[in-house]
Amino acid sequence: MERLNDYAERVLEIVELIPPGKVMPYGDIAEYLGEGGPRQVGRVLSLWGGGVPWWRVPRADGSPPVGHEVECLARWREEGTPLRGDRADMRLARWDGRTR
């Protein structure tokens, strides 16, 4: 297993800040940090994301992470995340990182 590095720590810190009922896609996290990209953020979450609210990080189209759809949708419903079918409603649920 890879070692947790500074970039990974920053990604996980941002994910922990996403408020309940909001989401921030992989690419937005990378843009917020000013480095990496969606794949790098996804890699961090696949290795170390179990201890943070990973379900608040959907794909850019609002769909849940592949392989975690059922649990993710259940958590979104529990938190009151705005949905459009089985996806997060990105217009209403997207968090910009500035407000809590």
Side-chain angles (χ1 to χ4, degrees), residues 2-93:
E2 294 180 37
R3 192 175 144 277
L4 188 67
N5 57 38
D6 291 337
Y7 178 74
E9 286 181 15
R10 288 191 300 278
V11 167
L12 297 175
E13 287 171 3
I14 296 302
V15 174
E16 287 181 328
L17 293 175
I18 303 169
K22 294 292 185 179
V23 297
M24 189 179 218
Y26 300 97
D28 286 12
I29 292 173
E31 186 176 323
Y32 184 85
L33 291 173
E35 63 180 305
R39 289 177 189 257
Q40 288 80 14
V41 171
R43 178 79 175 148
V44 168
L45 289 175
S46 73
L47 292 173
W48 302 289
V52 298
W54 56 265
W55 57 91
R56 296 181 189 150
V57 184
R59 297 164 71 186
D61 66 358
S63 59
V66 175
H68 301 281
E69 296 87 354
V70 172
E71 183 177 356
C72 186
L73 282 167
R75 289 183 182 258
W76 284 347
R77 288 184 183 110
E78 181 181 303
E79 291 186 352
T81 305
L83 301 175
R84 292 186 75 134
D86 60 353
R87 296 177 183 205
D89 183 332
M90 297 306 285
R91 191 174 55 83
L92 299 174

